């Protein structure tokens, strides 16, 4: 069967609501390449969806899964299994001392579990309403709770306002690329005040070290002030590292760029680099507030997923993938800046660190985002597009990528930008003054 046949099946049996990118049906993938059902091979600049940090079809991970399969297929969250024990022991070396970890399946499930811990803490220790503060344009998942605490307005319309407000309020993100000036910490405090939230009713602030929709990082000075303020008021910081964790930003955890240690860390996506598994790590005293059985989830600690995560962590450490992400990130930044400098009126921003980058096309050309994304994909590089303003093209390759892969993918992006500019007669706007750009 060819791609069109599969697409026909999809459109017949699957709601379009679960797809948002051009329909490329994957047949196989290896390293940082993906081959579709028509045999076309493309550079993968999206790592699946920030998942395949150790590369697709990673032999070490596959062997670990096979070895686990050889013991038979069984799963139970009611009783522990060997890989679950071993993964928790290994994972403890990646997180602050005296933090415990609970395993889950998806990012949204782990985010909601972290929020639940914060609310148990609010109920039992702070004895307050347990409000969670998050940032405008943040993304924490698609379930009711995780959508309610996400700051992306367009995904929240289906949840009644009282449900959202009972859980969480949003404040401006300090360094939004589309706002004329950054927000400082006083603006943060004022926004909370304007929303009639008493500091005494807050349980936690949930952060993403960088916002997935633009790759804009939370500024370090803001984060440090936030940490001090939270400490003063006994408010928790949850770092949602579902996307920024496991080496993506050139550090193991995104919060390392911010100069703070969060009280809770949420991991997912790149944890096993292939199979569904997520985790919440939190200070032991916080987990100790929760009763046995509080976090049951049928497939959590699944032995096959846990084996994959163990092999992935060893692979990442043995092959220094975090360091590679930092090194390749410098090259990626240079290549993307070259494209921006060539077409400064078309590309408004290049943001990111490590292998988490985004180009934001100028808001005036937002209507061309889809055409550009389609063209990049047609020309041979897989990318994620969209973002809260509909202007983002995200570049998040597997952390095993080398200079050849970065060069190849970026050349395709450059060629695609050039084609779209020419076809739409955008011409050379270098005469447009900086002020008007
Ligand atoms: N948090 C962040 C920061 C994410 O990027 C995502 C997924 N894109 C999630 C949570 C939700 O993860 P999942 O899709 O596995 O539920």
């Amino acid at each position: 069967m060819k791609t069109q046949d599969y697409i026909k099946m999809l459109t017949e049996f699957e709601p379009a609501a679960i797809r948002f990118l051009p329909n490329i049906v994957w047949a196989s993938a290896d390293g940082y390449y993906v081959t579709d059902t028509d045999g076309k091979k493309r550079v993968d600049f999206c790592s699946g969806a920030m998942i395949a940090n150790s590369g697709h079809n990673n032999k070490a991970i596959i062997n670990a899964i096979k070895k686990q399969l050889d013991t038979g297929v069984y799963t139970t969250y009611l009783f522990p299994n060997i890989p679950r024990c071993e993964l928790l022991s290994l994972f403890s070396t990646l997180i602050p001392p005296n933090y415990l970890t609970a395993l889950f399946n998806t990012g949204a499930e782990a985010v909601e579990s972290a929020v639940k811990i914060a609310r148990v803490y609010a109920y039992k220790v702070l004895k307050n309403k347990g409000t969670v503060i998050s940032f405008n344009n943040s993304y924490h998942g698609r379930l009711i709770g995780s959508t309610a605490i996400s700051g992306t307005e367009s995904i929240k319309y289906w949840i009644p306002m009282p449900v959202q407000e009972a859980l969480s309020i949003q404040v401006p993100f300090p360094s939004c690329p589309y706002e004329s000036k950054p927000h400082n910490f006083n603006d943060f405090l004022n926004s909370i005040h304007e929303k009639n939230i008493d500091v005494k009713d807050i349980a936690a602030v949930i952060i993403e070290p960088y916002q997935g929709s633009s790759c804009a990082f939370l500024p370090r000075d803001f984060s440090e002030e936030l940490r001090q303020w939270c400490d003063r008021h006994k408010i928790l910081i949850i770092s949602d590292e579902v996307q920024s964790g496991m080496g993506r930003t050139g550090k193991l955890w995104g919060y390392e760029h911010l100069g703070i240690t969060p009280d809770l860390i949420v991991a997912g996506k790149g944890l096993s680099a292939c199979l569904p598994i997520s985790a919440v790590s939190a200070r032991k005293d916080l987990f100790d507030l929760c009763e046995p059985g509080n976090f049951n989830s049928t497939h959590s600690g699944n032995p096959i997923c846990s084996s994959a995560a163990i092999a992935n962590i060893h692979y990442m450490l043995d092959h220094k993938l975090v360091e590679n992400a930092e090194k390749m990130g410098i090259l990626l930044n240079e290549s993307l800046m070259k494209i921006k400098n060539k077409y400064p009126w078309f590309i408004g921003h290049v943001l990111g660190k490590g292998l988490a980058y985004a180009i934001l096309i100028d808001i005036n050309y937002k209507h061309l985002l889809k055409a550009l994304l389609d063209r990049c994909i047609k020309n041979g590089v897989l990318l994620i597009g969209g973002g809260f303003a509909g202007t983002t093209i995200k570049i998040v390759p597997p952390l095993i990528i080398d200079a050849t892969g970065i060069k190849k993918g970026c050349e395709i992006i450059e060629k695609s930008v050039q084609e779209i500019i020419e076809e739409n007669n955008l011409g050379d706007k270098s005469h447009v003054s900086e002020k008007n750009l």
Side-chain angles (χ1 to χ4, degrees):
M1 288 212 300
K2 305 289 277 181
T3 297
Q4 280 319 312
D5 304 313
Y6 290 109
I7 301 299
K8 218 166 138 239
M9 274 163 93
L10 270 184
T11 38
E12 194 173 350
F13 300 114
E14 186 185 72
I18 202 162
R19 299 189 300 274
F20 71 105
L21 288 173
N23 291 315
I24 303 293
V25 184
W26 289 28
S28 64
D30 200 68
Y32 56 80
Y33 282 104
V34 171
T35 305
D36 73 12
T37 36
D38 289 340
K40 184 164 167 69
K41 197 170 160 184
R42 294 179 179 82
V43 176
D44 180 13
F45 263 10
C46 49
S47 308
M50 289 78 65
I51 305 163
N53 288 10
S54 294
H56 296 291
N57 203 26
N58 182 299
K59 295 292 176 293
I61 301 177
I62 291 174
N63 288 340
I65 295 172
K66 279 188 177 156
K67 200 165 155 217
Q68 181 57 32
L69 280 173
D70 284 343
T71 70
V73 178
Y74 51 86
T75 183
T76 168
Y77 71 98
L78 299 172
F79 305 96
N81 59 69
I82 297 171
R84 173 170 150 194
C85 302
E86 289 179 349
L87 173 58
L88 291 171
S89 165
L90 178 62
F91 199 69
S92 74
T93 63
L94 308 181
I95 54 176
N98 294 321
Y99 279 44
L100 300 180
T101 299
L103 298 173
F104 299 97
N105 306 288
T106 67
E109 190 190 3
V111 163
E112 294 200 8
S113 301
V115 169
K116 185 165 152 184
I117 298 169
R119 284 175 70 91
V120 171
Y121 167 76
Y123 180 77
K124 292 192 175 174
V125 178
L126 299 178
K127 302 193 191 309
N128 74 15
K129 287 188 188 158
T131 301
V132 174
I133 309 287
S134 66
F135 290 98
N136 288 346
N137 304 319
S138 58
Y139 182 80
H140 299 289
R142 296 265 175 185
L143 305 179
I144 290 188
S146 47
T147 302
I149 61 164
S150 293
T152 306
E153 286 305 320
S154 58
I155 68 166
K156 288 157 76 86
Y157 65 91
W158 58 283
I159 306 177
M161 208 33 149
V163 176
Q164 294 187 34
E165 282 178 355
L167 196 58
S168 169
I169 60 145
Q170 281 79 53
V171 297
F173 185 68
S175 52
C176 173
Y178 286 117
E179 288 179 14
S180 53
K181 70 177 189 53
H183 297 278
N184 61 26
F185 197 69
N186 270 340
D187 298 333
F188 171 83
L189 296 180
N190 289 339
S191 316
I192 294 175
H193 184 68
E194 278 161 19
K195 300 217 165 180
N196 291 324
I197 300 293
D198 190 334
V199 173
K200 292 197 188 73
D201 278 326
I202 301 172
V205 178
I206 183 163
I207 61 167
E208 289 167 287
Y210 71 82
Q211 291 207 314
S213 60
S214 65
C215 289
F217 271 72
L218 198 65
R220 193 180 170 108
D221 51 355
F222 181 97
S223 314
E224 286 169 349
E225 272 190 81
L226 177 70
R227 180 70 274 181
Q228 285 167 14
W229 177 79
C230 285
D231 286 346
R232 249 191 338 271
H233 297 283
K234 299 191 168 38
I235 294 169
L236 304 174
I237 296 183
I238 304 171
S239 189
D240 180 347
E241 301 269 352
V242 169
Q243 198 172 131
S244 56
M246 303 309 291
R248 169 62 49 199
T249 66
K251 297 209 184 280
L252 182 63
W253 301 112
Y255 69 73
E256 293 173 50
H257 292 284
L258 313 184
I260 61 163
T261 303
D263 306 287
L264 298 102
I265 302 161
V266 184
K269 289 187 185 283
L271 177 51
S272 79
C274 53
L275 298 179
I277 186 165
S278 60
V280 176
S281 300
R283 281 177 8 215
K284 182 175 179 314
D285 60 296
L286 296 175
F287 264 127
D288 285 349
L289 295 169
C290 306
E291 272 120 59
N294 254 204
F295 289 104
N296 287 355
S297 173
T298 299
H299 290 286
S300 58
N302 175 292
I304 298 171
C305 301
S306 300
S307 302
I310 294 169
N312 174 49
I313 294 169
H314 283 307
Y315 189 89
M316 283 188 60
L317 298 177
D318 292 350
H319 293 80
K320 299 201 180 318
L321 293 194
V322 185
E323 292 82 346
N324 192 55
E326 187 185 13
K327 205 165 105 200
M328 288 300 124
I330 295 168
L331 200 59
L332 180 58
N333 179 52
E334 277 168 18
S335 312
L336 297 175
M337 283 306 293
K338 199 178 123 222
I339 307 175
K340 176 177 164 14
N341 291 338
K342 204 162 156 194
Y343 307 106
W345 68 94
F346 186 70
I347 294 174
H349 301 272
V350 170
L351 298 174
K353 286 186 203 303
L355 289 174
Y357 265 89
I359 50 178
L360 274 57
I361 62 173
D362 188 282
I363 199 97
N364 293 317
Y365 299 114
K366 177 184 165 145
H367 57 288
L368 294 176
L369 183 84
K370 187 178 175 313
L372 176 59
L373 186 66
D374 286 354
R375 186 59 56 90
C376 287
I377 292 177
K378 180 168 174 276
N379 286 343
V381 61
L382 293 180
L383 292 158
I384 308 172
F388 72 94
T391 57
T392 300
I393 288 202
K394 231 160 121 170
I395 300 108
V396 281
L399 311 190
I400 46 117
I401 201 150
D402 53 17
T404 312
I406 297 280
K407 188 163 173 275
K408 190 159 179 185
C410 289
E411 276 171 6
I412 299 172
I413 298 175
E414 184 171 348
K415 172 176 175 317
S416 307
V417 169
Q418 190 174 339
E419 286 174 6
I420 294 297
I421 284 179
E422 280 169 14
E423 285 164 24
N424 289 278
N425 294 322
L426 301 182
D428 179 5
K429 300 242 166 105
S430 51
H431 60 282
V432 179
S433 76
E434 270 294 313
K435 204 160 104 275
N436 296 329
L437 290 177

